[in-house]
Amino acid sequence: MAGCKNITVPTMVLLWVSMCLGGVHGANFDVRHYGTRADGRSDDSGAMMNAWKDACASDAGPVTTFTIPPGNYLVGSLNFQGPCKASSMNVQLQGTLVAPSDLNKVKSQGAWVIFQNIDWLTVSGGGTLDGQGAVAWSKNGCQRGGMCGSFPSNLEFSSITNGFIEDITSLNSKLFHIELINCKNVTLQQLTINAPGNSLNTDGIHIGRSTGINITGIDIKTGDDCISFGDGSQQVYVSGVTCGPGHGISVGSLGKFQGEQPVTGLTVKNCTLTNTMNGVRVKTWPASISSLASNLHFEDIKMMNVGTPILIDQQYCPYGRCQLKACSEHAILPPSIHSHTEKFEFLFQVPSRVKLSDIFFTRIQGTSSTPVTVKLACSAEVPCQNVQVSDINLRYDGNDGNSTSLCSNIKPRTSGLLFPTLCTGEVPAP
Ligand SMILES: *[C@@H]1O[C@H](CO)[C@@H](O)[C@H](O)[C@H]1NC(C)=O
Ligand SMILES: *[C@@H]1O[C@H](CO)[C@@H](O)[C@H](O)[C@H]1NC(C)=O
Ligand SMILES: *[C@@H]1O[C@H](CO)[C@@H](O)[C@H](O)[C@H]1NC(C)=O
Ligand SMILES: *[C@@H]1O[C@H](CO)[C@@H](O)[C@H](O)[C@H]1NC(C)=O
């Protein structure tokens, strides 16, 4: 066989051993056989990518297993690219992948570890991705008016169909922990996500342009949204998530970029939020492009000392003026406006054009760290439609007022027990 002439005898033995260990299912590719050091200091990315290339090309059986055994592997970046030959790839991450903490050694875009273009992928094994993010957080200029987010996320699943991700930990990511982009039918379960409450832009799980995603049993402690649903998130089911510290569970932010796809069919159920900045929220930019979010269900949510447990914010513009550029990208400014301050003030009065409809807040109870426990700030240009609020009990125990609710451009339908009474005040103009 011509194809065999480059394969050395030891490699053939190795392949034979690996395939035997893999049993009838297919080959098992263990990164140790490709020369990883697992000493936490030598860069193991090259050896790992070689192992992946062979694993992905293997047609020895219907399931190919790719194993990263216990140990600390320093890896610059990993791109586990498909499509692969086997019908299904089974990745066993047992060890810890350690990112370089030196920012000169990381890429400024995309993710540190990527799985891409794979149909039928399982990732499990109890291992950890340690993003070593502390230096990145200290350099992130978002809050000081500088650049936001020019660091890699920890782990990205891109164009994955029929995925099952279970029992791994994401630690101290430089930016987002886990991102799903362009995925279909992916389950994430029993994951641990951990970073300090003051780590910037470390969203726990971010979903975009993906359909049929099931997220259950995830413990998230981080410095930004625990879960964020970006544009094109459709048919996503989230349950059994504990969140805090963090910014809450959020749809959006939406309306920032041209060509955003609608967000539809989300259910967030049986989740507990503790000491988070917000609870469940929908956020869209003022002066935005047109888009849609509908059929959003938030139910059986427990709030413990949460700031604004229920929040629709169509005046979203974080970090004050620093994101002005983002807000203004598609806005048409009158010629009389020149200074940044004028621009900012002008833009803030241009309503969001993201249409929100069919939103259900059901059985949400607990305590808030602020007196405004429900805030429904909808757009004057496209008021919220069919927002239903039922069985809400949100206490505020501070001395400076009682639990209240503010609304604008919305007439919510209500049923069941409601504390606070809805829409007793207007959201102040921005
Ligand atoms: C979705 O993916 C899971 C594997 O995570 C699989 O068991 C299931 O059959 C898939 N569903 C469809 C409709 O293909
Ligand atoms: C989500 O996954 C959990 C655990 O695997 C399962 O029990 C549940 O039925 C799934 N839900 C949906 C809507 O697929
Ligand atoms: C609700 O979520 C908790 C985790 O916070 C989990 O232990 C429990 O089993 C879930 N209950 C149901 C009915 O899914
Ligand atoms: C807040 O209002 C509720 C219902 O009106 C009342 O029972 C409760 O005593 C009030 N709490 C405070 C701290 O005033």
Side-chain angles (χ1 to χ4, degrees):
M1 272 159 64
C4 268
K5 71 173 186 258
N6 290 332
I7 299 185
T8 59
V9 171
T11 310
M12 284 172 80
V13 170
L14 196 84
L15 286 176
W16 179 80
V17 169
S18 305
M19 282 153 83
C20 284
L21 290 174
V24 292
H25 294 299
N28 182 1
F29 292 81
D30 183 328
V31 298
R32 277 178 308 198
H33 298 157
Y34 286 79
T36 53
R37 301 267 190 84
D39 59 7
R41 289 192 311 274
S42 337
D43 190 330
D44 282 330
S45 355
M48 265 196 212
M49 288 321 300
N50 288 338
W52 175 259
K53 275 187 200 109
D54 284 1
C56 190
S58 167
D59 55 5
V63 183
T64 292
T65 301
F66 177 79
T67 304
I68 301 171
N72 289 319
Y73 302 83
L74 179 68
V75 286
S77 75
L78 297 173
N79 195 346
F80 296 123
Q81 182 94 32
C84 298
K85 285 262 174 68
S87 323
S88 167
M89 294 300 290
N90 171 14
V91 175
Q92 288 294 312
L93 173 63
Q94 295 158 355
T96 298
L97 304 179
V98 182
S101 53
D102 181 350
L103 295 178
N104 296 318
K105 294 192 175 144
V106 301
K107 46 187 185 179
S108 61
Q109 281 189 340
W112 168 44
V113 177
I114 300 176
F115 289 92
Q116 190 167 25
N117 282 324
I118 304 167
D119 192 0
W120 299 96
L121 168 72
T122 304
V123 180
S124 61
T128 297
L129 290 97
D130 181 353
Q132 306 258 23
V135 178
W137 309 327
S138 72
K139 292 269 158 61
N140 194 326
C142 253
Q143 284 179 332
R144 295 187 303 268
M147 282 290 293
C148 296
S150 49
F151 306 111
S153 306
N154 253 9
L155 176 60
E156 178 180 306
F157 295 97
S158 169
S159 303
I160 302 297
T161 304
N162 303 317
F164 195 85
I165 320 302
E166 181 183 40
D167 190 23
I168 56 173
T169 296
S170 172
L171 192 64
N172 296 335
S173 56
K174 291 184 172 70
L175 199 74
F176 294 1
H177 287 268
I178 300 178
E179 282 191 88
L180 271 69
I181 308 292
N182 231 333
C183 291
K184 262 195 207 120
N185 183 33
V186 173
T187 295
L188 304 180
Q189 73 174 39
Q190 315 309 332
L191 307 183
T192 305
I193 291 176
N194 203 336
N198 61 1
S199 58
L200 286 171
N201 295 114
T202 53
D203 289 33
I205 299 174
H206 177 79
I207 300 167
R209 303 189 178 213
S210 294
T211 301
I213 308 300
N214 184 346
I215 297 177
T216 56
I218 319 272
D219 181 29
I220 305 174
K221 298 180 172 67
T222 198
D224 207 304
D225 288 332
C226 286
I227 302 183
S228 55
F229 305 96
D231 84 288
S233 298
Q234 305 196 345
Q235 311 312 322
V236 182
Y237 184 84
V238 173
S239 71
V241 168
T242 58
C243 165
H247 293 186
I249 296 180
S250 300
V251 174
S253 54
L254 301 175
K256 186 159 145 188
F257 301 106
Q258 216 57 260
E260 287 189 5
Q261 294 172 12
V263 173
T264 62
L266 307 186
T267 301
V268 177
K269 195 176 157 80
N270 183 35
C271 295
T272 301
L273 287 78
T274 307
N275 298 325
T276 51
M277 184 186 277
N278 308 282
V280 289
R281 72 174 159 164
V282 181
K283 49 181 174 175
T284 78
W285 293 82
S288 67
I289 54 140
S290 304
S291 66
L292 294 172
S294 69
N295 216 341
L296 315 177
H297 300 256
F298 302 94
E299 56 192 63
D300 300 307
I301 314 281
K302 194 165 173 198
M303 304 285 179
M304 294 165 77
N305 194 41
V306 164
T308 326
I310 297 178
L311 176 59
I312 291 179
D313 183 5
Q314 296 210 263
Q315 305 165 344
Y316 179 73
C317 205
Y319 313 122
R321 288 152 208 230
C322 105
Q323 295 262 7
L324 174 64
K325 200 166 154 289
C327 291
S328 66
E329 258 161 34
H330 307 290
I332 299 158
L333 297 170
S336 59
I337 287 180
H338 298 295
S339 77
H340 263 230
T341 309
E342 285 169 338
K343 253 190 205 175
F344 179 73
E345 278 161 6
F346 171 79
L347 285 170
F348 237 85
Q349 287 154 24
V350 180
S352 177
R353 297 188 191 93
V354 180
K355 171 96 189 160
L356 304 181
S357 61
D358 304 307
I359 305 182
F360 304 84
F361 296 101
T362 313
R363 293 182 301 275
I364 299 182
Q365 55 168 298
T367 58
S368 175
S369 56
T370 60
V372 179
T373 55
V374 180
K375 183 175 164 187
L376 306 174
C378 293
S379 165
E381 190 162 318
V382 283
C384 294
Q385 268 185 358
N386 191 27
V387 174
Q388 301 195 20
V389 182
S390 338
D391 293 308
I392 302 298
N393 190 357
L394 294 164
R395 274 190 2 252
Y396 172 66
D397 294 330
N399 300 323
D400 51 338
N402 207 336
S403 175
T404 58
S405 155
L406 301 180
C407 298
S408 57
N409 305 306
I410 182 173
K411 290 195 181 71
R413 299 177 189 197
T414 58
S415 64
L417 171 86
L418 288 175
F419 181 69
T421 309
L422 277 204
C423 304
T424 44
E426 275 277 318
V427 178

